[in-house]
Amino acid sequence: MKKILILTLIAAFMISMLFLGTSCKEEVAEEEVAEEEEVAEEEEEVAEEEVAEEKTDIKIWYYWETLMHQESLDTVISSFNASQDGITVSADYIPFADFKKQLSIGVAAEELPDLVIIDNPDHAAYAAMGIFADLTAELSSWPDLEQYYDGPLGSLTIEGKIYGIPFGSNCLALYYNEDMLESAGSEVPTNWDELKDVAEKTTTNGVVGFGISSLPNEEGTFGFLPWLWSTGATSFEINSEGGIKALTLFKDLIESGGMSKEVINWTQGDVMNQFISGNLAMMVNGPWQVPTMRSEAPDLNWNVALIPKDEVYASDLGGENFAIINNENVSKSLEFLKYAVSVEQVTEYIDKFGYIASRKDVAETQYTDDPIMQKFIEQMQYALARGPHAKWPEISNAISNAFNEVITGVADPETAAANAQTTIDSILE
């Protein structure tokens, strides 16, 4: 009996020890799993911290106040941010009236963004100040570069160096009232002699044959330059055979009655209003007027043609460029920029801006069912940039003074050209 009791106790002890061993092993295993999980969590946190440290924030400044434009830019930014993990792009709206001032303040305070979307005639001035990065080397092997029209690309090229990438563009063309030209027995003018002839013939019964904004400012210069360039002269050669010839064209139009002296007071919008009111037979204006004309004058019979030429076709370039601030984030900014100006992205947003793409491969696919806009696209291949020059506003003032003096009769073309050239030469020295 005692022997049985002893054996029973021994068996119970052995069983308890077996369970104890198993329990200990389980506890050890659980501890090992917990330690492994903790290590994994720590490694994940370290990895996340490393990613956060490597991520670059890129800031853009722009001045578009139109909601559609802002939303389109936000869409491109969101798409880029979702496409990769190393860069976060955001954008701030700066009113156009304050934009250049804010850039100047930013330079002084060393508080600039990484990218700006800037009016193309202002590009050269900031590039000359060293604010914008020289992208010539970075873009030398970029195959997309050859797709850009000469005009937009020229607006950001200074002394052979490229300081950005064009965003979108517009230009000027000749609008004409088909009924008025038909009544006058006239065809659409293609050269200056034909323009003067048609303008004179369509000037009758309260209608003036031709109009163009000729304000004594950049808006007026924007309208005059295609005539200067059409002679083969550059923006800096107004006291040349071509420059005097362009000024003489304006003089002849005024003296024949084919253009009113009131053009020195007309904005581009005023010229459009004169045209849709039936007071002008022809005008020079841009594609941004097309939607308004179609909505406000749906019964007006009008069309668009290339600006009549002297030696070569010419037009003036409008629109914006992307520029990268010369800081430590140039390569990251360029990564976003190449994404934003890719064929896929530009095709998606450019029509929403009412712009003509600066890329030929996109522009050629735009507005395929719109012959009016197609004509502006054709005109775009002849569009040139104003300047480019760091002191373009001063040069522009000299040019606008010259054609205003001729229009008002204050000076003849030769005198006006000589006076303007003296000012321009002093700026270029």
Side-chain angles (χ1 to χ4, degrees):
M1 186 71 179
K2 183 186 276 189
K3 187 176 180 180
I4 292 172
L5 179 60
I6 291 171
L7 289 173
T8 301
L9 290 173
I10 292 172
F13 175 76
M14 292 179 66
I15 291 171
S16 66
M17 290 300 293
L18 178 62
F19 278 110
L20 179 62
T22 301
S23 175
C24 288
K25 288 179 180 179
E26 290 177 351
E27 288 178 4
V28 169
E30 289 175 358
E31 289 177 0
E32 290 177 349
V33 169
E35 288 177 359
E36 289 176 357
E37 290 177 349
E38 185 177 349
V39 170
E41 289 176 0
E42 290 176 353
E43 289 177 348
E44 185 176 348
E45 289 176 1
V46 170
E48 289 176 353
E49 289 175 359
E50 289 177 350
V51 169
E53 289 175 0
E54 293 173 0
K55 202 157 193 175
T56 303
D57 291 325
I58 298 296
K59 178 70 71 176
I60 302 173
W61 282 2
Y62 68 94
Y63 55 71
W64 295 316
E65 60 183 1
T66 304
L67 184 60
M68 175 66 77
H69 295 176
Q70 295 180 356
E71 291 175 344
S72 297
L73 178 61
D74 287 343
T75 298
V76 176
I77 290 172
S78 297
S79 176
F80 174 77
N81 287 343
S83 72
Q84 44 74 52
D85 297 321
I87 304 170
T88 299
V89 179
S90 60
D92 286 344
Y93 163 69
I94 309 292
F96 182 77
D98 300 328
F99 198 81
K100 288 186 278 188
K101 183 171 103 175
Q102 286 301 316
L103 275 177
S104 299
I105 292 173
V107 172
E110 297 185 351
E111 294 179 353
L112 288 168
D114 301 286
L115 274 159
V116 295
I117 300 172
I118 191 167
D119 197 16
N120 59 47
D122 295 327
H123 202 116
Y126 290 99
M129 292 169 63
I131 296 173
F132 297 158
D134 176 3
L135 304 178
T136 310
E138 289 83 351
L139 297 178
S140 61
S141 60
W142 187 47
D144 293 33
L145 194 64
E146 65 184 18
Q147 289 295 336
Y148 285 87
Y149 288 109
D150 291 341
L153 197 58
S155 72
L156 47 77
T157 303
I158 296 92
E159 296 181 353
K161 296 181 179 180
I162 301 172
Y163 289 91
I165 298 178
F167 170 77
S169 305
N170 52 56
C171 61
L172 297 171
L174 179 74
Y175 288 74
Y176 60 95
N177 185 308
E178 293 188 293
D179 293 335
M180 289 182 180
L181 264 65
E182 183 178 355
S183 296
S186 299
E187 299 292 329
V188 180
T190 60
N191 59 47
W192 290 9
D193 287 337
E194 292 174 359
L195 174 66
K196 290 189 287 185
D197 179 65
V198 176
E200 187 173 357
K201 287 180 178 177
T202 52
T203 299
T204 179
N205 299 324
V207 175
V208 178
F210 177 74
I212 183 171
S213 175
S214 299
L215 291 167
N217 59 21
E218 181 65 25
E219 189 170 347
T221 302
F222 187 70
F224 176 76
L225 285 174
W227 312 99
L228 175 64
W229 293 333
S230 185
T231 68
T234 71
S235 305
F236 315 112
E237 298 171 331
I238 193 165
N239 192 25
S240 61
E241 181 180 350
I244 294 170
K245 192 174 183 179
L247 291 170
T248 301
L249 171 65
F250 275 40
K251 174 178 176 288
D252 291 345
L253 286 166
I254 292 295
E255 290 183 347
S256 71
M259 185 168 75
S260 168
K261 289 184 179 181
E262 283 300 309
V263 294
I264 65 171
N265 300 314
W266 289 350
T267 66
Q268 293 163 342
D270 294 332
V271 175
M272 178 200 67
N273 288 331
Q274 293 290 332
F275 184 81
I276 64 177
S277 297
N279 299 325
L280 285 177
M282 297 177 290
M283 70 169 179
V284 166
N285 226 314
W288 56 86
Q289 309 291 18
V290 172
T292 302
M293 291 178 60
R294 285 173 169 165
S295 63
E296 294 189 6
D299 299 324
L300 190 68
N301 189 19
W302 59 277
N303 212 324
V304 174
L306 299 182
I307 295 175
K309 69 176 181 176
D310 178 41
E311 296 295 329
V312 294
Y313 285 117
S315 186
D316 210 335
L317 179 74
E320 284 89 23
N321 297 327
F322 283 108
I324 296 177
I325 302 300
N326 193 16
N327 62 18
E328 69 278 4
N329 292 331
V330 170
S331 62
K332 300 293 186 182
S333 297
L334 185 57
E335 185 176 338
F336 164 75
L337 195 45
K338 286 183 176 180
Y339 178 91
V341 300
S342 65
V343 171
E344 296 76 17
Q345 291 299 319
V346 176
T347 301
E348 180 66 27
Y349 63 69
I350 199 67
D351 286 5
K352 297 174 184 176
F353 281 82
Y355 280 22
I356 298 169
S358 299
R359 298 180 60 119
K360 289 176 281 189
D361 52 359
V362 176
E364 290 165 357
T365 69
Q366 286 185 272
Y367 309 110
T368 54
D369 297 325
D370 190 334
I372 296 292
M373 293 303 295
Q374 279 292 317
K375 186 57 68 174
F376 277 103
I377 291 172
E378 181 184 352
Q379 181 82 77
M380 179 62 72
Q381 65 185 308
Y382 306 112
L384 300 176
R386 286 161 279 175
H389 194 276
K391 295 185 178 180
W392 175 251
E394 297 174 43
I395 296 169
S396 174
N397 285 340
I399 294 171
S400 67
N401 286 338
F403 63 73
N404 268 259
E405 287 175 354
V406 170
I407 291 171
T408 57
V410 171
D412 58 41
E414 291 78 8
T415 302
N419 291 339
Q421 194 67 53
T422 298
T423 301
I424 292 171
D425 289 344
S426 69
I427 295 169
L428 297 178
E429 288 178 352

